[in-house]
Amino acid sequence: MLKVSGQDQIGLTAALSQILAEAGVTLLDIGQSVIHDQVSLGMLVQLPEASDTAHMLKELLYQAHEQDLHVRFTPVSDEAYAHWVGQQGKDRFVLTILARRMTAEHLAHVSRAVSEQGLNIQDIARLTGRVGLHSSTANDKACIELTLQGKPNSPEQLRQRFLHISSELDVDVAFQVDSVYRRNRRLVCFDMDSTLIEAEVIDELAKAAGVGAQVAKITEAAMQGEIDFQQSFRQRMALLKGLDESVLADIAAQLPITEGAERLMKTLKAYGFKTAILSGGFTYFGHYLQKKLGIDFVFANHLDIQDGKLTGEVVGDIVDGAMKARLLKQLAEQEGIQLEQTIAVGDGANDLPMLSEAGLGIAFRAKPMVKENARHAISTLGLDGVLYFLGFRDQEIHS
C-alpha cells in the first residue's frame, strides 16, 4: 500500500505512476481526494517477483521529496488482500445529508448511527459548491454524500434514528440502496399545492369567496389525514359555489413558486427527465404552472363552470391519493420505464400512495404524519434538494 499526501499539484499522479510503471507494477486499487488543495492519494499495488523494489522505493522517495510530499509504504499480506477481495459484492448504500449549514454535530450523529448498525463508510463527497465564511443567506445549501458498505442490523431502527436526528438537528437524511435505478431515474411526479407552490389553491379560492376560514380548516384536516380526501374535497367545493370565474387568473398570477422549483425544473429538463403534476388541485392552475416551469404532463381536477360561475363541482373523477398512484404507474408504462426509475414528491396524506409506489418517494416540507410514513423527506431546503438525492453536484445543476 502506497500512501501519498501533501499540497495538490498538476502532474503528481503522472510522476508517481511513471516510476511504478518502470518497475512493472500491477495496480490493484486506487483512490484520491483533495480537500482545500491538500491531496491524499492511495494505491494498492502488486510488485513483480523479480522487480528491483529498493530502486523503485528510492525513486518514489526522491520524487516525493522534490514535490514536498509525504509518502508511506505498508506491506499487505496475502491473507489481508484475500479478505479485502472477499468484501466484494457486499450491499452498498448512499446516504445524503442536507442542511442550510453543515456542522460537525450533523456528521457525528449520522455517522454514529450508521456505525452502530454495522455499516462502514467507504467514501464521503461534498455535492454543494464552496461557500464563503461570511456569505450566509436564507437560501444557503450544504450537502454531503456518504457511500456505505454492509447491511444494517435493523433498517427500521436506522430509519427511526434518522427521523429523530432530522427533527432534533434541523437536517435531512436520505438512505438509499446504491442500485442502477438510483442513477437512472427518468420520471418525476409532483403534487402541486404546498409542493410546487407555497399555497393551497382551494384556500385562495375560498378567501375570494369569503369562506376562507371554513375551507382552510377542512384542508388542514385532509392534509393531516384526519378525514377522507374525497369527502373533504366535496365539502370544500360546495362552499365555492357561485364564485366568479374571473378570480382564477388573478390567483394564478400571484401563486408563490416554491424555493428551488425553477432550478430543479431547468436541471431535470436539461438532462432529459419527464415531469408531471399529479394534483388534487385544479387543472387551470396546473396548466399555468406547466407553461411557467416547462412541465410535461398535468393531471388534476377540472372545475365545472357555468355562466361564468363555479358550480361547486368538478368534471370527471376526483384526483385523490389512489388516483395519483395509478397515474404514476400509467405514466411510467407510457414512457417505457420501470417504477424504480420514478420519483414522487408531495406533502399531504393523499400523496402517500404515490410516494410508496415510486422508486424514490419524497415527503416535501410535509406534515408529521406524512414524513413519518414516507421513506425520504426534505424539510430544510427547497425543491432543488431533490437533485442532491440523485447525486447531482452544484456544477451540474442549471440555475
Side-chain angles (χ1 to χ4, degrees), residues 68-250:
D68 196 23
L69 300 168
H70 301 285
V71 63
R72 195 173 90 185
F73 311 99
T74 306
V76 178
S77 69
D78 289 350
E79 291 77 14
Y81 180 75
H83 176 74
W84 176 75
V85 171
Q87 301 300 303
Q88 202 165 222
K90 271 196 170 183
D91 292 343
R92 289 173 66 88
F93 300 90
V94 171
L95 190 151
T96 311
I97 308 174
L98 299 176
R100 290 297 181 182
R101 282 270 175 164
M102 195 67 61
T103 69
E105 187 177 19
H106 293 146
L107 183 59
H109 280 267
V110 171
S111 57
R112 188 181 306 120
V114 300
S115 65
E116 288 173 354
Q117 284 288 324
L119 294 165
N120 186 47
I121 299 173
Q122 297 286 302
D123 297 292
I124 302 177
R126 172 175 50 84
L127 301 187
T128 42
R130 300 174 184 178
V131 179
L133 289 176
H134 308 294
S135 61
S136 179
T137 70
N139 293 331
D140 279 350
K141 303 174 185 68
C143 175
I144 57 175
E145 181 182 274
L146 285 66
T147 303
L148 312 175
Q149 191 173 49
K151 191 170 185 177
N153 301 324
S154 172
E156 183 54 29
Q157 282 184 9
L158 184 61
R159 180 177 173 278
Q160 290 301 320
R161 182 76 176 276
F162 287 153
L163 281 171
H164 177 75
I165 291 170
S166 297
S167 174
E168 291 294 310
L169 300 181
D170 196 23
V171 63
D172 294 317
V173 183
F175 182 71
Q176 303 177 63
V177 175
D178 187 18
S179 70
V180 66
Y181 294 118
R182 188 247 172 187
R183 298 184 294 277
N184 288 280
R185 312 288 190 195
R186 304 311 308 151
L187 170 68
V188 192
C189 297
F190 299 91
D191 175 44
M192 180 170 65
D193 298 47
S194 297
T195 299
L196 281 176
I197 55 174
E198 294 179 336
E200 292 285 334
V201 169
I202 200 165
D203 291 350
E204 300 305 310
L205 292 172
K207 291 175 188 175
V211 291
Q214 296 165 260
V215 168
K217 186 176 180 180
I218 301 171
T219 298
E220 181 63 18
M223 292 299 99
Q224 294 282 3
E226 296 170 3
I227 58 176
D228 172 73
F229 178 81
Q230 288 223 14
Q231 176 190 353
S232 73
F233 185 79
R234 293 186 190 282
Q235 289 176 1
R236 289 175 288 172
M237 285 302 303
L239 292 168
L240 299 180
K241 184 176 180 179
L243 181 63
D244 197 280
E245 178 186 14
S246 63
V247 305
L248 302 183
D250 289 338

Side-chain angles (χ1 to χ4, degrees), residues 203-372:
D203 291 350
E204 300 305 310
L205 292 172
K207 291 175 188 175
V211 291
Q214 296 165 260
V215 168
K217 186 176 180 180
I218 301 171
T219 298
E220 181 63 18
M223 292 299 99
Q224 294 282 3
E226 296 170 3
I227 58 176
D228 172 73
F229 178 81
Q230 288 223 14
Q231 176 190 353
S232 73
F233 185 79
R234 293 186 190 282
Q235 289 176 1
R236 289 175 288 172
M237 285 302 303
L239 292 168
L240 299 180
K241 184 176 180 179
L243 181 63
D244 197 280
E245 178 186 14
S246 63
V247 305
L248 302 183
D250 289 338
I251 290 174
Q254 296 176 45
L255 290 177
I257 305 298
T258 298
E259 175 200 347
E262 291 174 292
R263 185 176 187 240
L264 170 62
M265 292 303 178
K266 284 180 183 178
T267 303
L268 293 176
K269 193 174 185 66
Y271 288 99
F273 286 76
K274 292 290 186 179
T275 55
I277 289 175
L278 307 183
S279 173
F282 306 106
T283 53
Y284 182 95
F285 303 97
H287 289 141
Y288 176 86
L289 290 174
Q290 180 179 35
K291 184 176 180 181
K292 187 177 183 66
L293 298 175
I295 293 167
D296 295 295
F297 309 105
V298 173
F299 296 91
N301 297 300
H302 188 73
L303 287 167
D304 185 36
I305 301 172
Q306 294 182 18
D307 300 323
K309 304 284 186 182
L310 273 64
T311 67
E313 303 283 345
V314 293
V315 179
D317 294 332
I318 294 173
V319 179
D320 59 5
M323 175 74 82
K324 289 185 179 189
R326 288 198 297 274
L327 288 167
L328 172 73
K329 289 189 279 189
Q330 287 174 18
L331 283 172
E333 185 176 351
Q334 174 185 310
E335 294 300 312
I337 63 174
Q338 302 293 316
L339 268 177
E340 289 87 349
Q341 294 177 273
T342 65
I343 302 169
V345 186
D347 74 299
N350 65 320
D351 294 312
L352 282 171
M354 76 169 180
L355 298 187
S356 64
E357 287 286 356
L360 176 62
I362 303 171
F364 179 72
R365 296 181 181 176
K367 313 300 183 288
M369 185 275 289
V370 180
K371 189 174 178 180
E372 175 71 25

Side-chain angles (χ1 to χ4, degrees), residues 8-19:
D8 189 30
Q9 49 200 286
I10 294 173
L12 182 155
T13 304
L16 297 177
S17 58
Q18 181 59 41
I19 296 170

